[in-house]
Amino acid sequence: LYSVGFKFFYDFIPSFMTRADFNSILVAKKAAATAAVDFIQDGMLVGLGTGSTVFYFIEALGQRCRAGLNITAVATSQQSFHQAQSCGISLKDSETVTSLVDLMVDGADEIDPNKNMIKGGGGALFREKLLAEASRRLIIIVDETKLVNPLGMSPLPVEVARFLYHRTLQRLEDQGYQGKLRLGRNQTPFVTDNGNYIIDIHYNRPIQHPADEHMHLKSITGVVETGLFFNIVERVIIGYQDGYTRES
Ligand code: 5RP
């Protein structure tokens, strides 16, 4: 599992970053993820987000399950589902979930001091938002590089229907957005677990009012969901490159 995970991570080292810098960020991600496992208690229904930080969370949660912790989990992506399954975590099909999830743990691409976030770097934003809204509590785990004020440096992922997506892209552009269809590894469009596409919007300006921005984008037919999350986070666990964590 470790080798699969690290191979996956190293595929995503940004060109401006050395492997040493990247390793330090992995230390920070792992610190935040490990700290989050302390919030999981016997009997809980746990929501699993998606991404490289959540990878460490699932790994640590699996260790606790193998040591006797009794929980059930719901995953927001095929990736998290398969990892959890291979770690021995008991999983529930989302279609059989009728109660609220006790606690969800997820990552973020950017988070501001008011706990507004950009999410969707891994393409799972729609299920992440659905599950977060179906959870009593949401804990976000991030490395220190994700802290921003205000949002807007990272592209904003927007999930769109494949049907007439060129038209949706055009409508976004007509309204002044710079959108780019996300491509997968073989340069074909990236397809989400819901069978949709992702358009990454490059703001090149601060997003001062995330809720207004979200509402505006969602009013465009063809937009399924945006990666702007607000008023939903209970706690943030920040991991630092020296292995320490801080909560807010
Ligand atoms: C996936 C997400 C992730 O939580 C976000 O991209 C952060 O990922 P990572 O922990 O790999 O930095 O929203 O859709």
Side-chain angles (χ1 to χ4, degrees):
L1 180 67
Y2 248 82
S3 62
V4 172
F6 279 102
K7 184 177 178 312
F8 164 72
F9 292 164
Y10 284 129
D11 282 350
F12 291 98
I13 299 181
S15 52
F16 58 84
M17 211 181 261
T18 65
R19 188 172 270 233
D21 289 342
F22 194 71
N23 280 337
S24 304
I25 289 176
L26 294 186
V27 169
K29 286 174 188 283
K30 189 169 186 173
T34 311
V37 178
D38 291 343
F39 289 86
I40 310 297
Q41 291 168 1
D42 243 12
M44 276 185 167
L45 178 58
V46 178
L48 305 175
T50 296
S52 57
T53 319
V54 167
F55 172 90
Y56 287 119
F57 173 73
I58 294 174
E59 188 179 68
L61 186 61
Q63 275 167 10
R64 291 244 346 246
C65 289
R66 291 195 295 280
L69 179 74
N70 180 23
I71 56 114
T72 310
V74 192
T76 51
S77 61
Q78 291 295 324
Q79 183 187 309
S80 294
F81 183 91
H82 292 307
Q83 188 201 350
Q85 203 170 38
S86 71
C87 286
I89 297 171
S90 156
L91 286 151
K92 210 171 161 65
D93 183 328
S94 66
E95 293 186 22
T96 67
V97 174
T98 51
S99 62
L100 286 178
V101 166
D102 294 298
L103 175 60
M104 175 172 172
V105 177
D106 201 357
D109 299 308
E110 289 190 351
I111 185 158
D112 75 11
N114 295 319
K115 299 183 177 140
N116 299 312
M117 301 186 285
I118 288 183
K119 285 184 51 55
L125 63 102
F126 182 43
R127 293 188 185 192
E128 288 169 344
K129 196 176 277 189
L130 265 176
L131 196 63
E133 289 178 359
S135 301
R136 289 195 174 87
R137 301 166 64 196
L138 172 64
I139 293 182
I140 292 297
I141 48 177
V142 287
D143 66 81
E144 57 185 296
T145 65
K146 305 297 184 66
L147 305 179
V148 300
N149 189 18
L151 300 178
M153 292 287 285
S154 306
L156 172 67
V158 172
E159 184 154 347
V160 299
R162 286 165 75 164
F163 187 78
L164 287 182
Y165 82 89
H166 283 289
R167 181 72 201 126
T168 306
L169 188 53
Q170 185 60 56
R171 285 198 64 197
L172 286 165
E173 284 171 1
D174 290 348
Q175 298 196 27
Y177 293 106
Q178 268 181 36
K180 211 167 164 209
L181 181 70
R182 188 180 297 184
L183 300 179
R185 287 184 186 203
N186 49 6
Q187 295 302 300
T188 54
F190 172 90
V191 180
T192 70
D193 285 345
N194 315 305
N196 297 314
Y197 287 163
I198 298 274
I199 291 174
D200 290 303
I201 295 182
H202 296 260
Y203 272 80
N204 305 318
R205 63 171 171 84
I207 302 178
Q208 300 289 6
H209 304 288
D212 294 348
E213 201 67 45
H214 163 79
M215 292 303 285
H216 185 68
L217 287 163
K218 271 219 64 169
S219 70
I220 296 173
T221 309
V223 169
V224 176
E225 192 49 78
T226 82
L228 285 167
F229 287 55
F230 38 89
N231 298 333
I232 199 158
V233 179
E234 177 191 283
R235 187 183 296 260
V236 186
I237 304 178
I238 305 145
Y240 291 87
Q241 296 177 24
D242 57 9
Y244 280 87
T245 59
R246 186 171 68 79
E247 290 177 23
S248 70

